[in-house]
Amino acid sequence: MGWPYKKLVRPLLFAQDAERAHDFTLKILASASRSKFACDAIGNFFSAPELPVELFGLKFPNPIGLAAGMDKFAAAVPVWEKLGFGFCELGGVTWRAQDGNPQPRMFRAIADEAIVNRMGFNNFGAEVFARKLSNWKKSSRWPSHPIGINLGKSKTTPLEKAAEDYANSFRVLRNLADFFVVNVSSPNTPNLRQLQDKSALDEILAAIQEQNRSRNSEAGIQKPVLVKVAPDLSFEALDEILELASSRQIAGIVATNTTISRPQTSDAASKKIYFETGGLSGKPLRERSTEIIRHIFKQTNGKLPIIGVGGIFSADDAWEKIIAGASLIQIYTGLVFEGPGIAKEITGGLVLRMKTEGMKNLQLLIGSDLKK
């Protein structure tokens, strides 16, 4: 599918405004999600080979996940599994509904295979999102792979009330997903990244875990709660977050969110895009996100699971993240540039390379670059 997508489909999509193309694609996938025939057909074409991973008490059919931001409204929940993803992270979701930042707010740096966005957590709010997920669960369309939800802070909520805001969202959504990601690292909500400060994050996690331990949780099961960090943090700041892992039962780290830094480029069109405010994702982020993963793995002796995100376009990119310490990886910009076959292609590439190198278990690969 790679060549037809890049030569035929992508030029048509890239001729449109980036957000409009995204919304158009999601409408098609949402329609397919409501049809068993369409989902089965997609699965027959794009299903990925088995490469199982067990993490957080969950079983992932393969380590390739869909990153948050692609399906903000739970519009196409059933189709991601059919496209070969081993899990998906929906949202970001905030307690209050919000429109996000003014348009235009998403831009492609095509030559550099990057995207700059300043979406601003546009979503229907946690309660509407919960009803949407409940409807999918009541249908026969709920996927068998793990589902995560990305939680953000409402823009109108002051920082001193952030813990309550996050906890409210978690409370109404906790029985509708398998794991949750606390997003305090988006650059597109004013002052949000201040919540990566140890004391502020500690307060947020304490409020969420109090809800997590509530007797009202489904079957009394506590859900894994992860934290998503920015690539722009210093290692010292990262270490402070890691100090909360035990006291606040952090299940893992998602590394990383988008970056506010900009790469050097010789492409005039990309230079223009890089003047736009917002977070940058895609290939220019690959190296820094891998550095963050490697640091976290080393500092925690590999005991704190990591989901690696940033610049993953190929099996080689995924391999790099895994040997640096990532147990799972997620795709966003790679899907935009490489097309719907990316999860199948990356999983297949990992399986082939593991066979070539005599590696029978993916677990042995995780952090192997640091074990030499």
Side-chain angles (χ1 to χ4, degrees):
M1 185 63 188
W3 183 89
Y5 173 79
K6 290 180 181 178
K7 297 297 182 181
L8 301 175
V9 179
R10 193 173 77 178
L12 295 175
L13 293 174
F14 280 20
Q16 305 176 51
D17 167 79
E19 186 175 355
R20 184 176 300 174
H22 179 273
D23 292 345
F24 172 75
T25 303
L26 260 291
K27 282 184 179 179
I28 293 175
L29 294 176
S31 179
S33 293
R34 293 189 291 270
S35 166
K36 183 179 185 304
F37 174 80
C39 277
D40 288 345
I42 291 170
N44 288 337
F45 200 76
F46 292 109
S47 63
E50 287 287 312
L51 188 57
V53 178
E54 289 195 25
L55 203 63
F56 321 128
L58 303 172
K59 294 183 178 180
F60 299 80
N62 69 64
I64 316 303
L66 181 78
M70 186 60 70
D71 195 352
K72 287 175 172 285
F73 304 101
V77 176
V79 84
W80 305 115
E81 179 180 37
K82 303 300 182 181
L83 284 169
F85 288 100
F87 66 104
C88 67
E89 185 181 331
L90 307 173
V93 183
T94 57
W95 175 236
R96 297 186 177 96
Q98 52 190 43
D99 293 330
N101 293 319
Q103 298 180 351
R105 52 193 180 182
M106 183 185 293
F107 312 89
R108 308 181 196 92
I110 297 175
D112 292 350
E113 295 185 280
I115 292 174
V116 172
N117 92 82
R118 51 172 179 264
M119 300 299 290
F121 286 146
N122 56 309
N123 73 107
F124 296 140
E127 291 179 314
V128 174
F129 197 83
R131 290 197 292 271
K132 181 79 171 180
L133 289 180
S134 294
N135 289 336
W136 280 123
K137 282 217 166 189
K138 291 173 185 175
S139 74
S140 58
R141 321 268 357 110
W142 192 258
S144 60
H145 69 186
I147 300 290
I149 296 178
N150 183 285
L151 301 177
K153 183 189 77 68
S154 305
K155 185 176 182 179
T156 57
T157 298
L159 292 181
E160 59 268 21
K161 294 186 177 180
E164 180 183 357
D165 191 89
Y166 280 96
N168 282 336
S169 295
F170 180 81
R171 174 174 49 82
V172 301
L173 292 166
R174 64 182 168 191
N175 294 332
L176 295 167
D178 299 298
F179 67 93
F180 290 83
V181 178
V182 177
N183 187 344
V184 287
S185 53
S186 170
N188 300 320
T189 295
N191 302 317
L192 182 76
R193 288 190 168 188
Q194 293 181 28
L195 298 177
Q196 292 179 114
D197 176 78
K198 183 180 178 181
S199 61
L201 181 58
D202 183 58
E203 186 177 348
I204 291 168
L205 292 172
I208 289 176
Q209 295 295 12
E210 183 178 358
Q211 292 289 339
N212 208 4
R213 292 188 295 269
S214 168
R215 288 179 295 176
N216 293 326
S217 60
E218 188 177 51
I221 297 173
Q222 293 189 31
K223 299 299 173 74
V225 176
L226 293 80
V227 175
K228 189 168 189 175
V229 298
D232 309 300
L233 285 176
S234 67
F235 287 160
E236 291 77 14
L238 276 170
D239 291 344
E240 288 198 351
I241 291 175
L242 297 179
E243 289 175 6
L244 297 174
S246 177
S247 61
R248 294 306 177 196
Q249 296 85 51
I250 297 175
I253 300 290
V254 180
T256 63
N257 214 316
T258 57
T259 179
I260 57 175
S261 69
R262 297 292 185 264
Q264 295 292 323
T265 183
S266 59
D267 181 73
S270 293
K271 285 182 181 179
K272 184 178 179 181
I273 294 301
Y274 293 155
F275 281 113
E276 298 286 350
T277 58
L280 178 141
S281 62
K283 284 194 173 179
L285 182 57
R286 179 183 61 82
E287 185 174 341
R288 178 57 179 172
S289 68
T290 303
E291 287 177 355
I292 296 287
I293 291 165
R294 188 176 289 114
H295 177 80
I296 294 169
F297 187 89
K298 183 178 179 180
Q299 291 298 100
T300 62
N301 294 314
K303 294 179 180 179
L304 186 64
I306 303 165
I307 299 180
V309 199
I312 301 167
F313 284 61
S314 67
D316 286 343
D317 296 333
W319 186 274
E320 176 186 78
K321 291 284 192 289
I322 294 169
I323 65 172
S327 297
L328 302 169
I329 65 167
Q330 288 180 320
I331 310 291
Y332 181 94
T333 307
L335 176 60
V336 173
F337 280 89
E338 297 295 319
I342 188 169
K344 177 181 180 179
E345 291 166 6
I346 289 180
T347 306
L350 289 175
V351 170
L352 181 60
R353 185 163 177 180
M354 286 174 65
K355 287 182 179 178
T356 301
E357 301 202 9
M359 189 79 66
K360 294 183 179 181
N361 189 328
L362 186 66
Q363 185 65 37
L364 298 175
L365 189 63
I366 298 167
S368 59
D369 190 40
L370 297 173
K371 299 173 184 175
K372 294 177 181 178

